[in-house]
C-alpha cells in the first residue's frame, strides 16, 4: 500500500501539471495548499486563489488571508500552522471572479483526494463555493453557517469567507458577519480542544 507522503506528492505533481480547464492558461502557479499532512485535525477550504496566492503559490496570503490568520490566532487562539489550508480550485480565475461550475467540477477530484488523504476530524468551508461543492446543496452560506454538517463521515462547519468580512466590516452588532464568525471560531476551537486534549 502506498504511504500517504508518496500519494500526497503524486497528487501535488498532478495538480501542478493540470490542464483540465482553461484556468491553466492564465495562472502563474497552482495553489495546492499548506499545513500539516500527518495527524491533521482540521482543514480549511477556501474558494479560489487570488492574485497574491497565484504569484506566491500559497493559500490565503493576501488581505483575506491575513484576516483569516487573525481570526484563527487572535480570535480562536488556534495557530494557523496547525490547520491544513487549501481551496476548492487550485488556479486563480482571471480578475478574481467566482469559479464556474465547470472549473469547480474539473478540480473536485483534487480537493476530494486531499481530504481523503488528510482524513481530518473537521473541515471548515469558507464561503458559498466550498460549502455548496462539498455539501452538494443550493442553500447559501448565510443559512448554513454556524451549524455542523457532515461530508463522508467528517464533520463540516461552514463559515463566512474572510473577504466577505472585509466587505462588510462596517456592520456591527450580534447579527453582523464579524460577530457570527467570532461565534463560529469559538465553536471550532472548542471542538479542536476536545481532539487535542
Amino acid at each position: 500500500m502506498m504511504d500517504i507522503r508518496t500519494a500526497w506528492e503524486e497528487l501535488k505533481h498532478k495538480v501542478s501539471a493540470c490542464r483540465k480547464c482553461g484556468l491553466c492558461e492564465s495562472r502563474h502557479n497552482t495553489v495546492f495548499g499548506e499545513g500539516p499532512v500527518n495527524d491533521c485535525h482540521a482543514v480549511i477550504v477556501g474558494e479560489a486563489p487570488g492574485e497574491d496566492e497565484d504569484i506566491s503559490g500559497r493559500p490565503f496570503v493576501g488581505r483575506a488571508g491575513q484576516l483569516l490568520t487573525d481570526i484563527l490566532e487572535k480570535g480562536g487562539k488556534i495557530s494557523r500552522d496547525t490547520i491544513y489550508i487549501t481551496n476548492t480550485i487550485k488556479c486563480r480565475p482571471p480578475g478574481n471572479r467566482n469559479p464556474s461550475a465547470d472549473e469547480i467540477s474539473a478540480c473536485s477530484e483534487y480537493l476530494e483526494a486531499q481530504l481523503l488523504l488528510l482524513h481530518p476530524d473537521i473541515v471548515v468551508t469558507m464561503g458559498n463555493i466550498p460549502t455548496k461543492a462539498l455539501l452538494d446543496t443550493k442553500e447559501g452560506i448565510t443559512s448554513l453557517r454556524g451549524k455542523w454538517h457532515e461530508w463522508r463521515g467528517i464533520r463540516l462547519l461552514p463559515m463566512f469567507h474572510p473577504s466577505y468580512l472585509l466587505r462588510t466590516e462596517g456592520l456591527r452588532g450580534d447579527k453582523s458577519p464579524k460577530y457570527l464568525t467570532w461565534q463560529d471560531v469559538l465553536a471550532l476551537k472548542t471542538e479542536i480542544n476536545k481532539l487535542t486534549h
Side-chain angles (χ1 to χ4, degrees):
M1 193 175 130
M2 192 188 298
D3 82 327
I4 182 172
R5 186 55 72 181
T6 307
W8 192 254
E9 290 307 317
E10 283 189 8
L11 180 62
K12 206 171 185 175
H13 176 72
K14 205 172 171 186
V15 167
S16 70
C18 180
R19 303 194 65 78
K20 285 168 64 176
C21 78
L23 294 181
C24 67
E25 303 299 337
S26 56
R27 72 183 177 218
H28 288 94
N29 290 291
T30 54
V31 182
F32 187 71
E34 65 182 19
V37 175
N38 295 312
D39 200 25
C40 176
H41 291 298
V43 173
I44 286 176
V45 183
E47 297 181 346
E51 184 178 15
D52 294 312
E53 291 77 15
D54 179 44
I55 290 164
S56 68
R58 297 179 58 219
F60 280 98
V61 292
R63 273 186 75 214
Q66 288 157 12
L67 179 56
L68 173 63
T69 303
D70 282 352
I71 289 167
L72 291 172
E73 299 192 345
K74 293 178 185 167
K77 305 284 183 266
I78 303 165
S79 168
R80 178 179 163 134
D81 297 341
T82 63
I83 292 181
Y84 193 88
I85 300 175
T86 189
N87 280 302
T88 309
I89 66 167
K90 312 306 183 194
C91 298
R92 179 195 180 201
N96 292 357
R97 65 164 171 75
N98 284 342
S100 69
D102 285 349
E103 289 158 357
I104 292 167
S105 173
C107 236
S108 63
E109 71 165 285
Y110 301 138
L111 176 60
E112 223 167 270
Q114 282 180 306
L115 293 176
L116 293 173
L117 282 169
L118 290 167
H119 197 71
D121 300 289
I122 297 166
V123 171
V124 176
T125 51
M126 294 263 168
N128 270 319
I129 288 162
T131 304
K132 288 180 175 182
L134 288 177
L135 293 181
D136 193 22
T137 180
K138 297 215 179 327
E139 266 192 89
I141 190 69
T142 307
S143 60
L144 293 169
R145 64 132 297 274
K147 302 180 192 101
W148 288 94
H149 304 264
E150 198 174 282
W151 180 83
R152 300 200 185 177
I154 298 170
R155 299 176 73 210
L156 186 148
L157 180 66
M159 286 172 58
F160 289 126
H161 194 282
S163 62
Y164 177 68
L165 300 183
L166 289 170
R167 291 195 302 272
T168 57
E169 58 191 345
L171 300 175
R172 296 279 177 264
D174 63 3
K175 294 282 184 284
S176 72
K178 194 173 183 181
Y179 179 82
L180 295 173
T181 299
W182 170 258
Q183 299 305 307
D184 293 345
V185 169
L186 293 180
L188 175 63
K189 176 62 174 171
T190 298
E191 293 309 306
I192 288 175
N193 279 348
K194 287 180 193 169
L195 294 165
T196 55
H197 291 90

